Structure formats: C-alpha cells, structure tokens
C-alpha cells in the first residue's frame, strides 16, 4: 500500500468551476499535510499547509483535513487556465522532517 | 521569503564524469536540506536528507558513494553525482526548511541533468 495516494487524473474542469482534489494517507500518526503545485518542467511550489482537522482557506484555495478518515483535500475555486498543473499531496508521517509525496493529480482548466 | 536557488539549471555531461549541483537558501538559514530526483511523469523521490555540519542520511537504495552530499553551511548544500551514467539523467531538485518554517519545505528550481 502506498503511503500517500492521489488520483492521477487528468481532472478537467471548465474555467470558473471548482476543482476538487483528494489525497489519502496510510500512516494514522501523520501530523503535517501539504499541497504543492508543479507546472510542467518546473519544481514544486508550496501552496497550502494544514495541520489541524477542518478547513483552511487561502485565497481561491481551501484545504480540508480529516485525520479520522485519513484524507486531505484541496479545492480550487474559480479555476483559471493558469491553475492547470500537477498538484502534489505531501504528508509528514514520522518524527523527522521528511515528506512523503503522492504521485500527483494533473488538473486541466479549459477556457 | 523562503527563496531557494539551484545552480546550474541545466547540465549536459559525458558518461563517467562528475557533476556538482549547488543548492542555496537565499533569505533564511536552512537547518535541513533535502535532495530529490524526479523522472518524467513520476513523482518526487527523496534521495537524502542533510543537516548542516553532519553527514547526510540516504534513503534506501541510494548509493552514498555515487551521490555525495555536503551541507557545509546553513545556506549551502551540494550534490555531486560521481561517475555519471545515462541512467542518472533526471531532474534533481533540492528543498530546504528553516526553524521558522515548521515542517514546510521550499524547493529550488531544479537541475536537469543529461548524461550522454
């Protein structure tokens, strides 16, 4: 079983719609959760971090964490073509600083 | 804040030669730096973790004698790929975290290595 799982996509949404991305993780003791955006040929860029159950909003992005169900999600509201990228879910599972990454979900926002 | 640079951005080398990649934190002190490798259409694979002034910790399956890591200061880590072979061609990305950043990692722009 992979530590961090994401649907690979591609997830295609029309411009202005909400894109919903999901991520599940296997280690129940995980404490820190992150969403990174990676454009093709570029390195990942941190867009959200979440540490407590519930929702965390930052601009058009909302991260949702449910530790009991071991999932974390990312909502992108009012999707723009510039949001077209691969979104990586990352989880800190242990007592060190290492992150485990999912394979990523590719999002395409069509104009 | 939290800017990480990498140099070079792209390098082509001949098989058997060594290549050094630098990773710098520009506006914070990086207590921990990480080196990742990413093959096309795949996710990030952690190669090693390094803390300033101490030996790097390598992930299982990563040859420490082939991928030499030095974290000489709180703003600089280097990765040297020794005796590179075509199968080492990949996108190498470093990340860094500082004490002020909790567990967040900030990535450098990456180095695309092509071994001919």
């Amino acid at each position: 079983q992979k530590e961090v799982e994401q649907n690979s996509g591609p997830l295609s949404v029309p411009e202005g719609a909400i894109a919903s991305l999901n991520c599940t993780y296997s280690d129940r003791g995980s404490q820190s959760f992150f969403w990174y955006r990676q454009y093709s040929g570029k390195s990942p860029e941190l867009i959200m971090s979440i540490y407590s159950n519930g929702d965390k909003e930052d601009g058009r992005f909302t991260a949702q964490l449910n530790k009991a169900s071991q999932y974390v999600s990312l909502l992108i509201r009012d999707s723009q073509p510039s949001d077209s990228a691969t979104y990586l879910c990352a989880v800190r599972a242990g007592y060190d600083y290492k992150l485990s990454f999912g394979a990523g979900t590719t999002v395409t926002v069509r104009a | 804040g939290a800017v990480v640079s990498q140099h070079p951005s792209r390098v082509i080398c001949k098989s058997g030669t060594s290549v050094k990649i630098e990773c710098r934190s520009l506006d914070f002190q990086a207590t921990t730096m990480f080196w990742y490798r990413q093959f096309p259409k795949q996710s990030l694979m952690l190669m090693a973790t390094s803390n300033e002034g101490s030996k790097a910790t390598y992930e299982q399956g990563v040859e420490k004698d082939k991928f030499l890591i030095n974290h000489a200061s709180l703003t600089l880590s280097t990765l040297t790929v020794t005796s590179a072979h075509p199968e080492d061609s990949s996108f190498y990305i470093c990340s860094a975290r500082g004490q002020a950043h909790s567990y967040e990692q900030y990535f450098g722009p990456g180095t695309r290595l092509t071994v001919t």
Side-chain angles (χ1 to χ4, degrees):
Chain A
Q1 181 186 7
K2 292 183 181 177
E3 292 182 31
V4 181
E5 296 210 44
Q6 298 179 249
N7 290 329
S8 61
L11 175 65
S12 180
V13 298
E15 185 174 358
I18 295 176
S20 178
L21 293 77
N22 295 316
C23 171
T24 58
Y25 57 94
S26 60
D27 189 330
R28 186 169 287 278
S30 298
Q31 297 295 322
S32 311
F33 308 87
F34 308 90
W35 284 99
Y36 286 85
R37 177 176 62 197
Q38 186 175 24
Y39 292 113
S40 180
K42 303 296 185 182
S43 67
E45 172 191 9
L46 179 66
I47 55 173
M48 290 286 286
S49 60
I50 185 166
Y51 300 94
S52 304
N53 280 328
D55 295 0
K56 179 181 178 182
E57 186 174 317
D58 184 358
R60 296 186 295 109
F61 298 101
T62 298
Q64 300 173 317
L65 174 61
N66 184 322
K67 290 185 179 180
S69 300
Q70 295 176 238
Y71 84 78
V72 56
S73 63
L74 180 71
L75 299 177
I76 307 174
R77 290 183 302 282
D78 187 24
S79 295
Q80 302 297 310
S82 59
D83 295 326
S84 298
T86 297
Y87 290 80
L88 302 172
C89 172
V91 176
R92 185 182 71 89
Y95 293 99
D96 55 25
Y97 299 110
K98 295 194 296 186
L99 298 181
S100 296
F101 283 84
T105 299
T106 300
V107 174
T108 301
V109 180
R110 54 185 193 275
Chain B
V3 179
V4 178
S5 70
Q6 253 182 271
H7 178 79
S9 59
R10 187 178 295 268
V11 59
I12 301 173
C13 71
K14 292 188 183 298
S15 186
T17 60
S18 295
V19 173
K20 180 186 281 189
I21 302 169
E22 289 188 351
C23 177
R24 293 182 184 272
S25 57
L26 298 185
D27 54 359
F28 67 101
Q29 293 188 324
T31 48
T32 311
M33 286 184 166
F34 306 85
W35 287 95
Y36 294 84
R37 182 166 53 180
Q38 187 176 38
F39 293 106
K41 306 292 186 185
Q42 296 186 23
S43 190
L44 298 167
M45 294 300 298
L46 179 65
M47 299 174 67
T49 303
S50 73
N51 294 293
E52 184 264 339
S54 61
K55 289 185 178 180
T57 302
Y58 290 81
E59 294 299 300
Q60 191 173 8
V62 178
E63 300 174 57
K64 63 180 181 181
D65 294 331
K66 180 171 182 61
F67 299 100
L68 302 179
I69 292 171
N70 184 284
H71 193 158
S73 75
L74 283 172
T75 59
L76 173 64
S77 177
T78 60
L79 167 68
T80 301
V81 183
T82 63
S83 187
H85 291 284
E87 56 265 30
D88 298 322
S89 298
S90 188
F91 191 39
Y92 291 86
I93 317 172
C94 72
S95 71
R97 63 164 291 277
Q99 284 193 327
H101 298 136
S102 187
Y103 300 105
E104 298 171 352
Q105 291 182 25
Y106 295 90
F107 284 86
T111 297
R112 193 160 303 280
L113 170 64
T114 303
V115 184
T116 61

